[in-house]
Amino acid sequence: MRVETHLSGNLPRSEVLFRLLRRHSRGKTSWEEVRAGAERETIGWIYFIENNLTLVTDPMLLWHDHFRPFTENVVGMEVNGLSRWYDNNTFYKVPVIKSKLGLSEPFLDRYLFPTLLRGRKVKLILPDPLTMYRLSLNNGYSDESELVIDLSEVISTEAHRMVLKWALDVRLVQLTAPEMARRLSEDELVLVREIVGSFRKKFGCALQLHTCFFPAGRTLRSLLDSGADIVGIDLHATPVSALKGVDVDRELALGVVDARSVVVEEPNACASLAEKAVDATGARAVHLTANTDLEYLPVEVAKEKLRVLSECARLLRERWT
Amino acid sequence: MGPDGLLFRTQEVGSLSRAPFLKGGNTEERATQARYWGKVLDVENYDELVRLIRNGIDQAKLLRWASLYGIRFHEAAGLDVVWDGEQRRVEMYEHSVRNVENFVFTGRVKVWDAETYNKAKLVSAPRLRSSAYIEEFLFAKSKARRELKVPVTGPYTIMDWSFDEFFVKRYSHLEDPGERRRRSRLDFLYSLIENVMKPELRALVEAGATRIQVDEPALTTKPDEVRDYVEAFNEMVKGLNATWTLHVCYSDYSLLLPHLTEMRIHELSIECANRDTVELGVEERSRRGYSILKTFSEQGVAFKVAPGVIDVHTDFIEPPELVRDRLLYSARLMGDPTKVIACNDCGLRTRRWEVAFEKERSLVKGAELARRALT
């Protein structure tokens, strides 16, 4: 059984970077200084990730929330007030759809550090268009399906032009999709298939739909039927018993490490949890991840959790060979 | 007439940014700030503070001066019910948790954008070490010229904003993570109420606090816990004679219903301006931030509502006419102007004093315009 390890979301900023960002928001330091600070931390994180996980992801330290690079730059979209990010003490700024969406100048590489990703096997993490649609305020489209497809188009096109520009070796694209575990109608499943097809075609690599915060049992079958190569499950929201009987004829990403708890898991316990999930579903391969963004944790705890993932993978590889 | 009988009574939510003379800069700059604001706010003996800053002053004394400036800040702006701007508090969560045994701070985590807080983990049952509020209340009571409202951080928010390493272990044998979470959080909540909140609130009431605001910005975080919280809150305030305000912000308030109607509160303070437009007008299109009040009214809530008419996350100074229209629209939705209090969305901690002061003055002027419009 193949065992991979990667991030399923962003990583925490240091207190130094938070201070820099606050100073910038008050006009007391330049954006160049902020980028330089974020770059230093990104270098450290990438080194750490490379030593512990199988795919490298930019820690997304300049993303204020899951949507912000897009909310701030996509034509036809504006930033509104704060709203709670699911059941967390974390808030995002609501995207407001004002008119037909479109792209102008490339922007995503201002929020990431693609030069640091070159020459590495990369996992790219992007917002799921359906989730973004549900968490936006739509004042611009009468046809909501058209809006979801246009969101999919702007997200995938912008990310893809960055990948081409910097010649990145992207092996996996993740769409972070808490809403897909929450509920999914038949009509929306059609949209999800279209989104998945579009991203897979554009990037030519594996696609992961990553769910979190909600038990995945209800919609897992539908997500497996969507054409996604990997479906991510939050095992700190989903009891393994809820997975029993779902025939997983593909790969699962298992959020075995809880990014919202400071209790550092035992690698053995994580390995047992992953084994149970595989026994319940018959998954073909396993991707070990945190259940969601690690930004909910202090930096040192996040690092501990990633080390646990690495050790858990080692244990599973031993057991499964 | 006391504040309760006043139409569109004006009040704040709690915090201000730190007094300018507490912030960085050299001694002379801080002394200049103390003199400037002392004059503006009509602070008694402010020259004494200027002298002390120049000659050296310990932090405890400086914080008492900041507390006095905070009280005068709100009084000078013209508010009917005031507080000291939480000048002695680092931040609402940290201030409360510092005084409770068995919380260990783990470092700063993000709330939004670049805003963070110092998040603690609970490692054993919480026990109140010393009151977080009594000393500041007694000082404020000795100085205030207007009625006081004491803001205290609520138990749900303390629980939700903390990591739990203690209660969660009780339920590690449960397979369902949802059930593990629900049970351990309920234990955490009741433990805070019994061991921390009840002694704090009893002491405040015995010391003469008549208005207490329980800050629960986290309350809608897990909607399935609202019913439990309402029961816990009612238990917490049972037998304590005070006017109780519940403050919730940046939340989907519909999640509080229907349980909120059973809550033993006199006032509900919520953020609305942040989700409103800045256009003048008293119709739904321009006043989209206040629609929840209609739902409250339809549910027949007994409490008064303090909808935020001042957005605390922008430097934009709301014109009094905008404040007026927000209040008049709120009154219309509630079906009774006496059930509406004029208030900010939340504490003004993120605004400079210059901006915060103008905002509070607009709040007072706008409330006066709203009163005139109805008489």
Side-chain angles (χ1 to χ4, degrees):
Chain A
M1 169 88 69
R2 187 163 56 87
V3 182
E4 303 279 342
T5 48
H6 36 86
L7 297 181
S8 61
N10 64 12
L11 290 171
R13 299 161 171 164
S14 73
E15 293 185 20
V16 173
L17 184 54
F18 274 122
R19 272 198 296 275
L20 259 179
L21 283 161
R22 275 199 299 276
R23 283 178 60 78
H24 177 260
S25 71
R26 291 168 190 155
K28 291 181 176 173
T29 193
S30 68
W31 182 244
E32 288 67 32
E33 280 184 79
V34 173
R35 270 211 54 105
E39 186 171 22
R40 281 192 294 277
E41 289 189 16
T42 300
I43 290 168
W45 273 119
I46 286 178
Y47 179 76
F48 185 87
I49 292 166
E50 212 162 33
N51 280 310
N52 287 283
L53 310 179
T54 55
L55 292 176
V56 171
T57 302
D58 186 296
M60 303 162 82
L61 301 176
L62 294 175
W63 293 42
H64 280 324
D65 60 53
H66 276 248
F67 309 134
R68 195 69 64 83
F70 298 94
T71 318
E72 287 178 342
N73 294 283
V74 169
V75 176
M77 208 180 274
E78 281 181 6
V79 181
N80 200 16
L82 294 170
S83 188
R84 187 181 298 286
W85 180 248
Y86 295 99
D87 58 345
N88 302 291
N89 181 32
T90 306
F91 297 79
Y92 71 101
K93 288 197 172 168
V94 177
V96 182
I97 315 296
K98 304 282 283 188
S99 58
K100 176 83 176 166
L101 301 182
L103 293 170
S104 55
E105 293 303 303
F107 56 84
L108 202 52
D109 50 10
R110 295 205 309 269
Y111 297 83
L112 296 168
F113 294 92
T115 52
L116 303 176
L117 300 174
R118 290 179 79 165
R120 295 180 157 101
K121 294 176 191 168
V122 172
K123 175 182 181 180
L124 198 59
I125 297 178
L126 297 166
D128 151 45
L130 181 69
T131 296
M132 189 165 180
Y133 151 69
R134 285 204 195 145
L135 272 54
S136 297
L137 190 61
N138 173 21
N139 294 333
Y141 283 68
S142 53
D143 182 340
E144 292 174 342
S145 299
E146 187 189 340
L147 170 54
V148 176
I149 295 304
D150 279 3
L151 276 167
S152 175
E153 185 60 24
V154 293
I155 293 168
S156 61
T157 302
E158 172 57 19
H160 190 239
R161 64 186 181 182
M162 180 190 74
V163 168
L164 291 179
K165 178 180 172 188
W166 298 95
L168 301 181
D169 179 12
V170 177
R171 302 296 178 95
L172 176 59
V173 172
Q174 172 187 309
L175 300 181
T176 306
E179 287 296 318
M180 288 192 192
R182 190 181 218 173
R183 64 176 196 274
L184 210 51
S185 68
E186 283 300 314
D187 287 347
E188 285 169 332
L189 183 56
V190 173
L191 287 173
V192 173
R193 287 199 186 106
E194 201 166 329
I195 291 166
V196 168
S198 159
F199 272 81
R200 289 184 84 241
K201 189 175 171 193
K202 205 165 268 174
F203 288 90
C205 67
L207 186 98
Q208 174 184 345
L209 294 176
H210 188 78
T211 65
C212 50
F213 307 136
F214 299 99
R218 270 175 296 182
T219 60
L220 181 58
R221 185 66 260 163
S222 299
L223 297 181
L224 291 165
D225 291 340
S226 70
D229 303 275
I230 305 165
V231 176
I233 295 170
D234 180 350
L235 284 179
H236 291 274
T238 310
V240 171
S241 58
L243 304 174
K244 277 181 187 154
V246 182
D247 180 20
V248 177
D249 51 354
R250 54 194 66 221
E251 302 178 9
L252 282 182
L254 301 173
V256 290
V257 158
D258 188 358
R260 300 194 290 173
S261 165
V262 78
V263 177
V264 178
E265 292 83 354
E266 289 290 329
N268 256 317
C270 290
S272 299
L273 188 60
E275 278 181 317
K276 282 182 192 165
V278 169
D279 289 346
T281 59
R284 287 181 189 170
V286 164
H287 300 252
L288 299 176
T289 68
N291 55 345
T292 182
D293 302 302
L294 283 156
E295 73 169 354
Y296 302 108
L297 297 170
V299 170
E300 288 310 314
V301 182
K303 283 184 175 171
E304 278 300 303
K305 298 244 176 188
L306 292 177
R307 288 191 193 101
V308 168
L309 276 187
S310 175
E311 177 59 12
C312 176
R314 190 188 66 74
L315 290 171
L316 285 174
R317 287 184 195 114
E318 271 180 14
R319 290 180 197 179
W320 286 338
T321 51
Chain B
M1 185 190 289
D4 276 328
L6 186 64
L7 199 58
F8 302 124
R9 185 183 84 217
T10 54
Q11 62 189 39
E12 39 64 67
V13 173
S15 67
L16 286 173
S17 64
R18 304 189 86 196
F21 57 79
L22 288 179
K23 293 180 180 172
N26 61 35
T27 300
E28 199 45 46
E29 285 165 347
R30 290 165 58 224
T32 303
Q33 289 291 343
R35 168 167 287 132
Y36 172 79
W37 284 104
K39 272 187 192 172
V40 169
L41 305 178
D42 192 23
V43 179
E44 58 273 32
N45 303 324
Y46 67 83
D47 276 336
E48 171 71 4
L49 173 63
V50 174
R51 190 183 64 75
L52 288 169
I53 289 174
R54 286 186 176 136
N55 295 342
I57 177 171
D58 69 52
Q59 187 66 9
K61 273 188 189 164
L62 200 57
L63 286 177
R64 279 198 291 278
W65 274 101
S67 184
L68 176 62
Y69 271 61
I71 293 165
R72 297 289 176 261
F73 181 102
H74 290 124
E75 289 171 345
L79 297 184
D80 300 305
V81 176
V82 302
W83 184 238
D84 76 343
E86 301 181 6
Q87 290 298 299
R88 300 176 192 222
R89 305 185 189 181
V90 184
E91 172 270 324
M92 62 178 286
Y93 167 81
E94 190 173 340
H95 179 76
S96 310
V97 165
R98 270 191 194 287
N99 292 284
V100 181
E101 286 178 18
N102 297 322
F103 278 101
V104 177
F105 286 98
T106 64
R108 305 200 76 82
V109 295
K110 189 175 95 175
V111 184
W112 83 91
D113 289 11
E115 297 299 323
T116 63
Y117 76 109
N118 193 5
K119 186 166 180 172
K121 62 180 176 183
L122 183 76
V123 297
S124 187
R127 295 266 178 276
L128 187 63
R129 184 184 295 124
S130 59
S131 172
Y133 306 112
I134 280 294
E135 195 184 329
E136 61 177 14
F137 170 69
L138 291 174
F139 178 82
K141 190 179 156 194
S142 72
K143 300 292 180 187
R145 296 163 181 160
R146 303 270 172 106
E147 194 169 342
L148 290 167
K149 173 168 59 66
V150 191
V152 301
T153 307
Y156 187 92
T157 296
I158 293 175
M159 182 259 301
D160 189 71
W161 290 5
S162 302
F163 293 117
D164 169 26
E165 277 193 359
F166 178 66
F167 290 107
V168 74
K169 286 179 183 161
R170 288 184 180 174
Y171 301 105
S172 57
H173 61 285
L174 295 178
E175 196 252 347
D176 182 351
E179 192 58 15
R180 275 203 302 269
R181 183 263 290 169
R182 203 187 69 75
R183 289 203 199 182
S184 57
R185 284 167 62 88
L186 199 58
D187 286 2
F188 195 165
L189 178 67
Y190 271 97
S191 184
L192 281 169
I193 284 176
E194 285 303 320
N195 300 325
V196 179
M197 297 307 297
K198 279 187 175 179
E200 280 281 25
L201 297 175
R202 196 180 309 119
L204 275 173
V205 170
E206 284 171 1
T210 54
R211 290 181 183 276
I212 301 178
Q213 173 181 292
V214 179
D215 291 331
E216 292 285 19
L219 189 50
T220 61
T221 308
K222 292 181 171 59
D224 61 332
E225 294 175 338
V226 172
R227 192 174 71 174
D228 290 334
Y229 178 74
V230 169
E231 281 178 22
F233 181 93
N234 290 345
E235 168 64 23
M236 178 173 80
V237 301
K238 196 163 68 182
L240 294 175
N241 186 22
T243 297
W244 296 99
T245 300
L246 176 72
H247 173 69
V248 188
C249 50
Y250 307 103
S251 303
D252 178 356
Y253 308 115
S254 66
L255 299 174
L256 298 171
L257 295 165
H259 311 295
L260 186 67
T261 57
E262 293 156 26
M263 205 165 178
R264 290 182 191 160
I265 54 170
H266 302 91
E267 297 169 2
L268 175 72
S269 157
I270 55 173
E271 149 271 335
C272 293
N274 175 254
R275 56 187 88 190
D276 197 40
T277 79
V278 295
E279 294 165 22
L280 295 182
V282 287
E283 73 294 332
E284 193 175 350
R285 187 184 56 79
S286 46
R287 294 287 73 84
R288 68 181 182 214
Y290 297 81
S291 56
I292 189 66
L293 271 61
K294 190 175 177 195
T295 311
F296 289 154
S297 178
E298 286 166 355
Q299 296 266 331
V301 298
F303 49 76
K304 294 182 180 184
V305 178
V309 291
I310 298 287
D311 184 355
V312 300
H313 283 157
T314 163
D315 282 350
F316 169 72
I317 308 294
E318 289 81 354
E321 292 76 13
L322 177 59
V323 171
R324 173 199 63 198
D325 288 356
R326 286 173 170 170
L327 289 171
L328 292 175
Y329 186 68
S330 299
R332 184 196 294 172
L333 291 187
M334 289 300 290
D336 179 358
T338 66
K339 292 187 85 170
V340 177
I341 297 163
C343 193
N344 308 321
D345 269 354
C346 192
L348 279 157
R349 188 170 71 93
T350 59
R351 299 298 107 199
R352 288 176 292 118
W353 273 35
E354 290 83 353
V355 172
F357 193 61
E358 289 309 311
K359 279 180 174 274
E360 298 292 52
R361 284 163 60 100
S362 252
L363 175 71
V364 171
K365 286 178 191 166
E368 180 53 34
L369 290 180
R371 278 180 216 120
R372 276 190 221 154
L374 291 184
T375 52

